[in-house]
């Protein structure tokens, strides 16, 4: 008994929609490739070309799968599904022939999807026939369906959502879950934007298009982005703003140590954890060695102690122990960041007796603090744990009156 057309159509399931969309795209693309000024036509429709190229592996697999099923089940040749399958196969061959004809490269890619992307490169390399305005060229070079553009926009959505809203002074702009989002979005945005700017360099030998867009990237977006260049500018703006906010935040909480950019993602979650518990430790990782993690912990403690005295229950003794423990962890470190920390501690030791120390740790009235586990430390010891001990001893001395100038 023959299978009805409706049943055959149902057996295609969602593949019918894919084949129908592919048929329409093939028709439009074949028309572009056959035009007299075909390069200009293709340049103006690179999104269509990329849609066909990126979908080609799935289309090829679908054509093969449906053809096998039709043969196995004996679908009638005159049925609508078979007619659709035949037309898509015919149009695919027509597009492949046109691409083969238009490609200049001597060694042409075997797969149609790769051949289409190669044709895109050749068309952009050739440049506009009579010259075009910079914005029009940018639109051609940055089709909206570039994978890198999509990745940059996903990351920018995270940055915009978190850093656009108002934040109380001194508070972190994100919670733990959002810090993790920012941590994952940062490398995605860096990689995607680098690839997009490199694409402009690749297809614009004059550099005018990049320079034109870089000037516009400094402006805050005022309208929802639609074209490829607008999406790039939107993503670039929010990425730059996020980096500026993160840099200021890290400087405030870790001064005088200067965190490296590759360390930023590792630090965000830890800073959130410190908001709820000062005992939170910074774990070592591939990016942060044990000593470097300890150095950043020392910096965080010192920066926190330079602010106003906290409200509620707070233990000065516990703060000193945390500072000394972190210094022990970082004692093998070297470099400019270590020297800046040592100088901060030396400055405190010198100014403590003059009543000029701004640190919150050192209240006016309290007894002598017990000695840290290191035991006696004489004035000559100048490593980080030794300086912490000397600073603590200075903190335990009675505060002298402010020197007159």
């Amino acid at each position: 008994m023959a299978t009805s057309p409706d049943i055959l159509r149902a057996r295609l399931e969602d593949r019918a929609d894919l084949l129908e969309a592919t048929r329409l795209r093939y028709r439009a693309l074949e028309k572009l490739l056959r035009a007299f000024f075909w390069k200009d036509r293709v340049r103006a429709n690179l999104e269509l070309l990329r849609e066909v190229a990126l979908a080609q592996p799935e289309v090829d697999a679908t054509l093969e799968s449906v053809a096998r099923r039709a043969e196995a089940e004996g679908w009638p040749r005159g049925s609508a599904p078979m007619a659709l399958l035949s037309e898509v196969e015919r149009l695919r061959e027509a597009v492949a022939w046109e691409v083969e004809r238009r490609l200049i490269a001597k060694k042409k890619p075997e797969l149609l999807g790769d051949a289409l992307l190669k044709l895109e490169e050749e068309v952009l390399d050739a440049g506009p026939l009579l010259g075009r305005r910079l914005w029009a060229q940018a639109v051609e070079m940055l089709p909206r369906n570039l994978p890198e553009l999509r990745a940059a926009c996903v990351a920018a959505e995270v940055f915009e959502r978190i850093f656009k809203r108002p934040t109380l002074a001194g508070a972190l702009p994100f919670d733990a879950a959002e810090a993790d989002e920012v941590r994952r979005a940062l490398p995605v945005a860096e990689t995607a934007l680098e690839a997009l700017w490199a694409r402009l360099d690749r297809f614009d030998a004059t550099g005018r298009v990049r320079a034109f867009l870089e000037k516009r990237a400094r402006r805050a977006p005022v309208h929802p982005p639609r074209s490829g260049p607008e999406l790039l500018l939107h993503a670039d703006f929010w990425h730059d703003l996020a980096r500026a906010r993160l840099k200021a935040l890290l400087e405030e909480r870790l001064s005088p140590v200067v965190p490296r950019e590759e360390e930023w993602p590792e630090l965000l979650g830890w800073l959130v954890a410190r908001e709820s518990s000062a005992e939170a430790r910074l774990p070592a990782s591939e990016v942060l060695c044990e000593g470097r993690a300890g150095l950043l912990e020392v910096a965080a403690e010192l920066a926190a102690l330079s602010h106003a005295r906290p409200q509620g229950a707070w233990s000065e003794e516990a703060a000193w122990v945390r500072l000394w423990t972190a210094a022990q962890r970082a004692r093998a470190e070297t470099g400019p960041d270590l020297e800046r920390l040592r100088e901060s501690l030396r400055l405190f030791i010198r100014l403590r007796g003059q009543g000029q120390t701004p640190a919150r740790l050192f209240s006016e009235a309290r007894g002598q603090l017990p000695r840290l586990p290191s035991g006696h430390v004489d004035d000559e010891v100048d490593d980080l744990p030794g300086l912490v001990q000397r600073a603590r001893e200075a903190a335990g001395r009675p505060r002298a009156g402010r020197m007159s100038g």
Side-chain angles (χ1 to χ4, degrees):
M1 185 171 108
T3 307
S4 70
D6 290 340
I7 293 177
L8 292 179
R9 183 80 179 182
R11 287 181 181 176
L12 285 177
E13 299 171 344
D14 58 338
R15 297 178 182 181
D17 294 335
L18 173 63
L19 293 176
E20 183 63 34
T22 301
R23 180 177 67 87
L24 297 176
R25 290 170 182 160
Y26 278 161
R27 279 184 177 178
L29 185 56
E30 182 191 19
K31 187 176 181 180
L32 294 177
L33 292 171
R34 294 175 62 183
F36 184 76
F37 293 107
W38 69 272
K39 287 184 180 179
D40 280 355
R41 298 285 299 277
V42 169
R43 284 178 67 92
N45 293 274
L46 285 179
E47 287 183 20
L48 171 63
L49 184 145
R50 293 192 65 86
E51 283 179 5
V52 175
L54 297 176
Q56 200 55 48
E58 183 182 4
V59 170
D60 287 341
T62 299
L63 289 174
E64 184 178 352
S65 174
V66 173
R68 283 201 310 265
R69 185 171 184 179
E71 183 178 0
E73 297 180 0
W75 293 6
R77 289 190 175 276
S79 64
M82 287 299 293
L84 176 61
L85 180 64
S86 299
E87 185 175 8
V88 172
E89 289 177 336
R90 179 188 65 79
L91 288 169
R92 183 195 183 287
E93 294 305 315
V95 169
W97 187 85
E98 290 293 343
V99 172
E100 174 92 10
R101 187 165 68 97
R102 298 302 190 186
L103 276 174
I104 300 173
K106 294 181 179 179
K107 186 177 181 181
K108 298 176 174 57
E110 295 181 2
L111 299 177
L112 178 56
D114 294 340
L116 287 166
L117 294 178
K118 181 65 177 177
L119 185 65
E120 177 194 45
E121 290 185 12
E122 291 186 357
V123 167
L124 288 174
D125 278 335
L129 181 61
L130 301 176
R132 306 230 0 229
R133 293 187 177 181
L134 295 176
W135 184 259
Q137 292 182 50
V139 170
E140 292 173 348
M141 294 178 194
L142 296 171
R144 291 173 297 178
N145 52 3
L146 284 170
E148 297 86 356
L149 198 53
R150 292 174 178 172
C153 290
V154 169
E157 188 277 330
V158 173
F159 301 144
E160 181 177 7
R161 171 165 47 84
I162 293 173
F163 293 104
K164 187 175 184 178
R165 65 196 179 201
T167 304
L168 295 176
L172 290 174
F174 40 67
D175 57 24
E178 291 171 334
D180 187 59
E181 286 187 86
V182 174
R183 179 186 65 79
R184 288 183 282 110
L186 281 171
V188 171
E190 292 282 355
T191 302
L193 289 169
E194 182 179 351
L196 291 168
W197 290 113
R199 179 182 174 87
L200 290 175
D201 294 337
R202 164 73 174 80
F203 296 119
D204 176 37
T206 67
R208 295 174 61 215
V209 174
R210 175 169 185 153
F212 171 71
L213 291 179
E214 283 180 334
K215 289 181 181 179
R216 295 176 67 96
R218 302 167 190 165
R219 310 174 191 171
V222 294
H223 301 294
R226 293 183 176 85
S227 66
E230 287 175 327
L231 291 169
L232 169 63
L233 296 177
H234 184 270
D236 194 72
F237 174 84
W238 285 107
H239 174 248
D240 282 351
L241 184 140
R243 288 182 68 256
R245 294 280 177 86
L246 289 173
K247 183 179 180 182
L249 180 154
L250 292 169
E251 286 179 352
E252 177 186 7
R253 283 167 168 76
L254 296 173
S255 178
V257 171
V258 181
R260 306 161 188 146
E261 287 199 28
E262 62 268 23
E263 297 171 343
W264 291 8
E266 305 281 334
L267 298 173
L268 301 183
W270 171 61
L271 290 178
V272 173
R274 277 183 57 86
E275 293 289 298
S276 56
S277 173
E279 303 295 331
R281 302 297 304 276
L282 176 60
S285 66
E286 293 182 1
V287 176
L288 290 170
C289 66
E290 184 71 14
R292 179 70 179 174
L295 202 68
L296 289 162
E297 286 184 339
V298 173
E301 288 293 338
L302 287 178
L305 301 180
S306 68
H307 301 158
R309 188 174 182 87
Q311 300 294 322
W314 177 74
S315 170
E316 179 177 347
E317 172 61 20
W320 275 115
V321 171
R322 285 195 304 272
L323 187 59
W324 185 82
T325 302
Q328 285 286 90
R329 191 182 183 193
R331 68 184 310 155
E333 282 295 290
T334 59
D337 283 329
L338 173 66
E339 291 305 315
R340 283 191 282 266
L341 282 176
R342 291 168 64 184
E343 186 57 36
S344 294
L345 288 166
R346 293 190 194 104
L347 181 63
F348 166 74
I349 295 167
R350 289 198 300 269
L351 297 182
R352 170 58 190 171
Q354 302 175 17
Q356 297 178 10
T357 307
R360 73 184 187 188
L361 260 183
F362 318 110
S363 57
E364 294 281 355
R366 52 110 169 89
Q368 181 76 22
L369 289 167
R371 189 170 299 282
L372 290 169
S374 59
H376 179 71
V377 178
D378 62 43
D379 290 341
E380 299 304 319
V381 177
D382 206 31
D383 66 354
L384 201 55
L387 284 169
V388 170
Q389 176 72 354
R390 288 169 57 195
R392 182 190 174 133
E393 291 175 346
R397 294 196 296 265
R399 182 186 287 273
R402 185 178 300 276
M403 293 182 66
S404 58

